[in-house]
């Protein structure tokens, strides 16, 4: 399906609003390529990927929707996000939540619930990552001690 640019604008606005909440990022920063903060870059990748893959916005036309982006940057972000979707379960889960919310256009109460769930899952994954890193450090100490 090919979307009219007015429809793309409306969908983009809703997508940015959702991504702003999901990644605790200000909307205007998601729509500009100047910020290098991780959460903002991540939100931008979601948006660029969605605009390109779901709404069929060509890389050359991405600058109609995101300030200071050129086609090569758009290509790069779509490629990186494709890799993340393939190998990173969290990204895949987050993108599914984003797309489901966007396409079902759920109400604000459901968005709050989804965001709470997302924050909980992120916190849980950070705790597990910390535990994993501690186990790795302990294992390294044991290896050095046994040598």
């Amino acid at each position: 399906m090919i979307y009219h640019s007015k429809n793309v604008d409306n969908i983009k606005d809703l997508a940015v609003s959702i991504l702003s909440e999901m990644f605790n990022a200000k909307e205007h920063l998601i729509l500009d390529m100047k910020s290098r903060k991780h959460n903002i870059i991540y939100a931008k990748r979601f948006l660029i990927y969605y605009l390109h893959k779901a709404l069929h916005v060509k890389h050359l036309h991405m600058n109609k929707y995101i300030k200071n982006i050129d086609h090569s940057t758009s290509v790069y972000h779509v490629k990186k996000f494709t890799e993340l979707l393939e190998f990173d379960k969290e990204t895949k889960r987050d993108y599914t939540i984003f797309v489901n919310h966007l396409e079902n256009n759920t109400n604000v109460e459901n968005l709050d619930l989804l965001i709470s769930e997302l924050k909980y899952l992120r916190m849980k994954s950070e705790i597990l990552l910390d535990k994993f890193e501690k186990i790795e450090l302990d294992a390294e100490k044991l290896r050095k001690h046994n040598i």
Side-chain angles (χ1 to χ4, degrees):
M1 173 182 275
I2 303 296
Y3 290 86
H4 185 274
S5 67
K6 185 74 170 165
N7 292 339
V8 173
D9 274 329
N10 293 338
I11 295 169
K12 177 213 57 163
D13 290 344
L14 179 59
V16 170
S17 176
I18 294 167
L19 292 168
S20 172
E21 290 293 323
M22 285 177 70
F23 295 104
N24 193 27
K26 293 186 175 163
E27 291 183 17
H28 74 277
L29 294 176
I30 295 171
L31 292 171
D32 196 336
M33 292 307 292
K34 290 183 180 181
S35 178
R36 301 297 304 151
K37 290 185 177 179
H38 178 75
N39 63 320
I40 295 168
I41 294 294
Y42 208 59
K44 272 183 237 198
R45 279 200 181 139
F46 269 67
L47 180 62
I48 294 165
Y49 182 88
Y50 186 80
L51 289 173
H52 182 69
K53 294 293 186 177
L55 303 182
H56 309 288
V57 173
K58 294 180 183 195
H59 294 295
L60 284 172
H61 300 133
M62 200 62 71
N63 62 2
K64 291 180 183 176
Y65 306 101
I66 300 172
K67 285 190 233 173
N68 301 315
I69 189 171
D70 60 41
H71 77 283
S72 62
T73 303
S74 178
V75 169
Y76 172 80
H77 282 294
V78 168
K79 181 180 179 212
K80 280 296 185 187
F81 198 77
T82 301
E83 291 169 5
L84 283 171
L85 283 175
E86 186 175 341
F87 297 110
D88 185 46
K89 290 178 184 177
E90 274 187 47
T91 300
K92 193 171 191 172
R93 180 201 65 221
D94 293 352
Y95 188 72
T96 301
I97 290 170
F98 164 69
V99 170
N100 286 340
H101 178 69
L102 188 59
E103 291 180 352
N104 294 328
N105 200 15
T106 57
N107 61 32
V108 174
E109 291 146 14
N110 288 344
L111 178 59
D112 290 341
L113 182 65
L114 289 172
I115 290 167
S116 295
E117 180 184 353
L118 182 63
K119 287 178 181 177
Y120 169 75
L121 291 170
R122 282 215 176 110
M123 181 183 69
K124 195 172 175 182
S125 69
E126 286 174 11
I127 290 169
L128 290 172
L129 185 59
D130 288 344
K131 286 181 180 180
F132 179 74
E133 288 172 352
K134 186 181 180 323
I135 291 168
E136 281 184 323
L137 287 173
D138 290 347
E140 185 63 31
K141 286 177 187 176
L142 284 173
R143 277 194 290 273
K144 286 182 181 179
H145 181 63
N146 289 334
I147 292 178

PDB file of all heavy atoms in Angstrom, residues 117-135:
ATOM      1  N   GLU A 117       4.802  -1.711  31.256  1.00  0.00           N
ATOM      2  CA  GLU A 117       5.313  -3.054  31.000  1.00  0.00           C
ATOM      3  C   GLU A 117       6.704  -2.999  30.375  1.00  0.00           C
ATOM      4  O   GLU A 117       7.606  -3.737  30.753  1.00  0.00           O
ATOM      5  CB  GLU A 117       4.353  -3.816  30.082  1.00  0.00           C
ATOM      6  CG  GLU A 117       4.801  -5.210  29.754  1.00  0.00           C
ATOM      7  CD  GLU A 117       3.880  -5.927  28.769  1.00  0.00           C
ATOM      8  OE1 GLU A 117       2.809  -5.388  28.430  1.00  0.00           O
ATOM      9  OE2 GLU A 117       4.256  -7.016  28.336  1.00  0.00           O
ATOM     10  N   LEU A 118       6.886  -2.093  29.430  1.00  0.00           N
ATOM     11  CA  LEU A 118       8.176  -1.931  28.776  1.00  0.00           C
ATOM     12  C   LEU A 118       9.246  -1.511  29.780  1.00  0.00           C
ATOM     13  O   LEU A 118      10.349  -2.069  29.794  1.00  0.00           O
ATOM     14  CB  LEU A 118       8.059  -0.887  27.656  1.00  0.00           C
ATOM     15  CG  LEU A 118       9.286  -0.604  26.824  1.00  0.00           C
ATOM     16  CD1 LEU A 118       9.710  -1.844  26.065  1.00  0.00           C
ATOM     17  CD2 LEU A 118       9.004   0.527  25.857  1.00  0.00           C
ATOM     18  N   LYS A 119       8.924  -0.560  30.652  1.00  0.00           N
ATOM     19  CA  LYS A 119       9.885  -0.114  31.660  1.00  0.00           C
ATOM     20  C   LYS A 119      10.232  -1.254  32.616  1.00  0.00           C
ATOM     21  O   LYS A 119      11.395  -1.431  32.989  1.00  0.00           O
ATOM     22  CB  LYS A 119       9.337   1.094  32.427  1.00  0.00           C
ATOM     23  CG  LYS A 119       9.352   2.364  31.601  1.00  0.00           C
ATOM     24  CD  LYS A 119       8.768   3.534  32.357  1.00  0.00           C
ATOM     25  CE  LYS A 119       8.782   4.779  31.488  1.00  0.00           C
ATOM     26  NZ  LYS A 119       8.157   5.932  32.139  1.00  0.00           N
ATOM     27  N   TYR A 120       9.239  -2.021  33.006  1.00  0.00           N
ATOM     28  CA  TYR A 120       9.477  -3.159  33.890  1.00  0.00           C
ATOM     29  C   TYR A 120      10.407  -4.178  33.220  1.00  0.00           C
ATOM     30  O   TYR A 120      11.370  -4.649  33.827  1.00  0.00           O
ATOM     31  CB  TYR A 120       8.150  -3.828  34.275  1.00  0.00           C
ATOM     32  CG  TYR A 120       8.334  -5.159  34.959  1.00  0.00           C
ATOM     33  CD1 TYR A 120       8.749  -5.235  36.287  1.00  0.00           C
ATOM     34  CD2 TYR A 120       8.117  -6.352  34.272  1.00  0.00           C
ATOM     35  CE1 TYR A 120       8.941  -6.459  36.905  1.00  0.00           C
ATOM     36  CE2 TYR A 120       8.306  -7.582  34.891  1.00  0.00           C
ATOM     37  CZ  TYR A 120       8.716  -7.627  36.204  1.00  0.00           C
ATOM     38  OH  TYR A 120       8.914  -8.835  36.811  1.00  0.00           O
ATOM     39  N   LEU A 121      10.124  -4.500  31.956  1.00  0.00           N
ATOM     40  CA  LEU A 121      10.948  -5.471  31.244  1.00  0.00           C
ATOM     41  C   LEU A 121      12.374  -4.964  31.055  1.00  0.00           C
ATOM     42  O   LEU A 121      13.333  -5.732  31.158  1.00  0.00           O
ATOM     43  CB  LEU A 121      10.310  -5.825  29.899  1.00  0.00           C
ATOM     44  CG  LEU A 121       9.011  -6.627  29.985  1.00  0.00           C
ATOM     45  CD1 LEU A 121       8.347  -6.708  28.615  1.00  0.00           C
ATOM     46  CD2 LEU A 121       9.267  -8.013  30.538  1.00  0.00           C
ATOM     47  N   ARG A 122      12.528  -3.672  30.810  1.00  0.00           N
ATOM     48  CA  ARG A 122      13.866  -3.094  30.677  1.00  0.00           C
ATOM     49  C   ARG A 122      14.623  -3.186  31.992  1.00  0.00           C
ATOM     50  O   ARG A 122      15.801  -3.523  32.023  1.00  0.00           O
ATOM     51  CB  ARG A 122      13.773  -1.636  30.239  1.00  0.00           C
ATOM     52  CG  ARG A 122      13.501  -1.495  28.797  1.00  0.00           C
ATOM     53  CD  ARG A 122      14.215  -0.265  28.253  1.00  0.00           C
ATOM     54  NE  ARG A 122      13.973  -0.252  26.838  1.00  0.00           N
ATOM     55  CZ  ARG A 122      13.207   0.622  26.225  1.00  0.00           C
ATOM     56  NH1 ARG A 122      12.659   1.586  26.885  1.00  0.00           N
ATOM     57  NH2 ARG A 122      13.022   0.549  24.936  1.00  0.00           N
ATOM     58  N   MET A 123      13.929  -2.851  33.102  1.00  0.00           N
ATOM     59  CA  MET A 123      14.559  -2.916  34.413  1.00  0.00           C
ATOM     60  C   MET A 123      14.984  -4.352  34.716  1.00  0.00           C
ATOM     61  O   MET A 123      16.099  -4.605  35.174  1.00  0.00           O
ATOM     62  CB  MET A 123      13.596  -2.419  35.490  1.00  0.00           C
ATOM     63  CG  MET A 123      14.173  -2.439  36.892  1.00  0.00           C
ATOM     64  SD  MET A 123      12.981  -1.940  38.144  1.00  0.00           S
ATOM     65  CE  MET A 123      11.867  -3.339  38.095  1.00  0.00           C
ATOM     66  N   LYS A 124      14.106  -5.289  34.417  1.00  0.00           N
ATOM     67  CA  LYS A 124      14.402  -6.704  34.646  1.00  0.00           C
ATOM     68  C   LYS A 124      15.611  -7.136  33.810  1.00  0.00           C
ATOM     69  O   LYS A 124      16.496  -7.840  34.302  1.00  0.00           O
ATOM     70  CB  LYS A 124      13.170  -7.527  34.282  1.00  0.00           C
ATOM     71  CG  LYS A 124      13.169  -8.924  34.784  1.00  0.00           C
ATOM     72  CD  LYS A 124      11.815  -9.559  34.517  1.00  0.00           C
ATOM     73  CE  LYS A 124      11.802 -11.008  34.890  1.00  0.00           C
ATOM     74  NZ  LYS A 124      10.532 -11.650  34.598  1.00  0.00           N
ATOM     75  N   SER A 125      15.675  -6.718  32.558  1.00  0.00           N
ATOM     76  CA  SER A 125      16.795  -7.100  31.706  1.00  0.00           C
ATOM     77  C   SER A 125      18.095  -6.462  32.197  1.00  0.00           C
ATOM     78  O   SER A 125      19.159  -7.081  32.124  1.00  0.00           O
ATOM     79  CB  SER A 125      16.530  -6.754  30.242  1.00  0.00           C
ATOM     80  OG  SER A 125      16.520  -5.372  30.047  1.00  0.00           O
ATOM     81  N   GLU A 126      18.033  -5.233  32.733  1.00  0.00           N
ATOM     82  CA  GLU A 126      19.235  -4.595  33.278  1.00  0.00           C
ATOM     83  C   GLU A 126      19.733  -5.345  34.505  1.00  0.00           C
ATOM     84  O   GLU A 126      20.939  -5.528  34.686  1.00  0.00           O
ATOM     85  CB  GLU A 126      18.947  -3.127  33.612  1.00  0.00           C
ATOM     86  CG  GLU A 126      18.834  -2.246  32.393  1.00  0.00           C
ATOM     87  CD  GLU A 126      18.401  -0.823  32.723  1.00  0.00           C
ATOM     88  OE1 GLU A 126      18.393  -0.451  33.913  1.00  0.00           O
ATOM     89  OE2 GLU A 126      18.068  -0.087  31.770  1.00  0.00           O
ATOM     90  N   ILE A 127      18.805  -5.805  35.355  1.00  0.00           N
ATOM     91  CA  ILE A 127      19.181  -6.581  36.544  1.00  0.00           C
ATOM     92  C   ILE A 127      19.860  -7.880  36.110  1.00  0.00           C
ATOM     93  O   ILE A 127      20.905  -8.257  36.641  1.00  0.00           O
ATOM     94  CB  ILE A 127      17.948  -6.859  37.434  1.00  0.00           C
ATOM     95  CG1 ILE A 127      17.482  -5.556  38.081  1.00  0.00           C
ATOM     96  CG2 ILE A 127      18.251  -7.917  38.489  1.00  0.00           C
ATOM     97  CD1 ILE A 127      16.124  -5.653  38.758  1.00  0.00           C
ATOM     98  N   LEU A 128      19.269  -8.556  35.127  1.00  0.00           N
ATOM     99  CA  LEU A 128      19.861  -9.803  34.635  1.00  0.00           C
ATOM    100  C   LEU A 128      21.232  -9.566  34.010  1.00  0.00           C
ATOM    101  O   LEU A 128      22.153 -10.362  34.194  1.00  0.00           O
ATOM    102  CB  LEU A 128      18.924 -10.478  33.636  1.00  0.00           C
ATOM    103  CG  LEU A 128      17.649 -11.058  34.229  1.00  0.00           C
ATOM    104  CD1 LEU A 128      16.712 -11.527  33.114  1.00  0.00           C
ATOM    105  CD2 LEU A 128      17.961 -12.207  35.168  1.00  0.00           C
ATOM    106  N   LEU A 129      21.369  -8.460  33.295  1.00  0.00           N
ATOM    107  CA  LEU A 129      22.657  -8.132  32.691  1.00  0.00           C
ATOM    108  C   LEU A 129      23.697  -7.873  33.775  1.00  0.00           C
ATOM    109  O   LEU A 129      24.836  -8.337  33.675  1.00  0.00           O
ATOM    110  CB  LEU A 129      22.522  -6.918  31.767  1.00  0.00           C
ATOM    111  CG  LEU A 129      23.754  -6.516  30.978  1.00  0.00           C
ATOM    112  CD1 LEU A 129      24.212  -7.661  30.085  1.00  0.00           C
ATOM    113  CD2 LEU A 129      23.468  -5.293  30.141  1.00  0.00           C
ATOM    114  N   ASP A 130      23.308  -7.148  34.830  1.00  0.00           N
ATOM    115  CA  ASP A 130      24.231  -6.907  35.956  1.00  0.00           C
ATOM    116  C   ASP A 130      24.658  -8.217  36.594  1.00  0.00           C
ATOM    117  O   ASP A 130      25.830  -8.415  36.914  1.00  0.00           O
ATOM    118  CB  ASP A 130      23.586  -5.998  37.010  1.00  0.00           C
ATOM    119  CG  ASP A 130      23.468  -4.557  36.554  1.00  0.00           C
ATOM    120  OD1 ASP A 130      24.140  -4.185  35.572  1.00  0.00           O
ATOM    121  OD2 ASP A 130      22.704  -3.795  37.187  1.00  0.00           O
ATOM    122  N   LYS A 131      23.709  -9.133  36.801  1.00  0.00           N
ATOM    123  CA  LYS A 131      24.025 -10.433  37.393  1.00  0.00           C
ATOM    124  C   LYS A 131      24.980 -11.211  36.487  1.00  0.00           C
ATOM    125  O   LYS A 131      25.927 -11.835  36.953  1.00  0.00           O
ATOM    126  CB  LYS A 131      22.748 -11.243  37.636  1.00  0.00           C
ATOM    127  CG  LYS A 131      21.937 -10.752  38.812  1.00  0.00           C
ATOM    128  CD  LYS A 131      20.700 -11.608  39.013  1.00  0.00           C
ATOM    129  CE  LYS A 131      19.885 -11.110  40.186  1.00  0.00           C
ATOM    130  NZ  LYS A 131      18.681 -11.922  40.413  1.00  0.00           N
ATOM    131  N   PHE A 132      24.710 -11.178  35.191  1.00  0.00           N
ATOM    132  CA  PHE A 132      25.556 -11.878  34.231  1.00  0.00           C
ATOM    133  C   PHE A 132      26.978 -11.322  34.266  1.00  0.00           C
ATOM    134  O   PHE A 132      27.952 -12.077  34.269  1.00  0.00           O
ATOM    135  CB  PHE A 132      24.958 -11.762  32.827  1.00  0.00           C
ATOM    136  CG  PHE A 132      25.777 -12.437  31.773  1.00  0.00           C
ATOM    137  CD1 PHE A 132      25.797 -13.822  31.668  1.00  0.00           C
ATOM    138  CD2 PHE A 132      26.527 -11.686  30.879  1.00  0.00           C
ATOM    139  CE1 PHE A 132      26.553 -14.446  30.688  1.00  0.00           C
ATOM    140  CE2 PHE A 132      27.288 -12.306  29.900  1.00  0.00           C
ATOM    141  CZ  PHE A 132      27.302 -13.689  29.806  1.00  0.00           C
ATOM    142  N   GLU A 133      27.109  -9.988  34.305  1.00  0.00           N
ATOM    143  CA  GLU A 133      28.429  -9.368  34.348  1.00  0.00           C
ATOM    144  C   GLU A 133      29.163  -9.740  35.628  1.00  0.00           C
ATOM    145  O   GLU A 133      30.363  -9.987  35.611  1.00  0.00           O
ATOM    146  CB  GLU A 133      28.306  -7.849  34.205  1.00  0.00           C
ATOM    147  CG  GLU A 133      27.926  -7.421  32.804  1.00  0.00           C
ATOM    148  CD  GLU A 133      27.620  -5.938  32.690  1.00  0.00           C
ATOM    149  OE1 GLU A 133      27.549  -5.237  33.732  1.00  0.00           O
ATOM    150  OE2 GLU A 133      27.443  -5.476  31.550  1.00  0.00           O
ATOM    151  N   LYS A 134      28.446  -9.820  36.754  1.00  0.00           N
ATOM    152  CA  LYS A 134      29.059 -10.225  38.027  1.00  0.00           C
ATOM    153  C   LYS A 134      29.544 -11.668  37.940  1.00  0.00           C
ATOM    154  O   LYS A 134      30.655 -11.982  38.383  1.00  0.00           O
ATOM    155  CB  LYS A 134      28.074 -10.069  39.178  1.00  0.00           C
ATOM    156  CG  LYS A 134      28.689 -10.344  40.539  1.00  0.00           C
ATOM    157  CD  LYS A 134      27.685 -10.196  41.648  1.00  0.00           C
ATOM    158  CE  LYS A 134      28.253 -10.461  43.016  1.00  0.00           C
ATOM    159  NZ  LYS A 134      29.205 -11.486  43.169  1.00  0.00           N
ATOM    160  N   ILE A 135      28.745 -12.527  37.357  1.00  0.00           N
ATOM    161  CA  ILE A 135      29.148 -13.925  37.189  1.00  0.00           C
ATOM    162  C   ILE A 135      30.402 -14.024  36.315  1.00  0.00           C
ATOM    163  O   ILE A 135      31.322 -14.780  36.615  1.00  0.00           O
ATOM    164  CB  ILE A 135      27.993 -14.766  36.604  1.00  0.00           C
ATOM    165  CG1 ILE A 135      26.874 -14.907  37.646  1.00  0.00           C
ATOM    166  CG2 ILE A 135      28.474 -16.130  36.131  1.00  0.00           C
ATOM    167  CD1 ILE A 135      25.579 -15.473  37.087  1.00  0.00           C
TER     168      ILE A 135
END
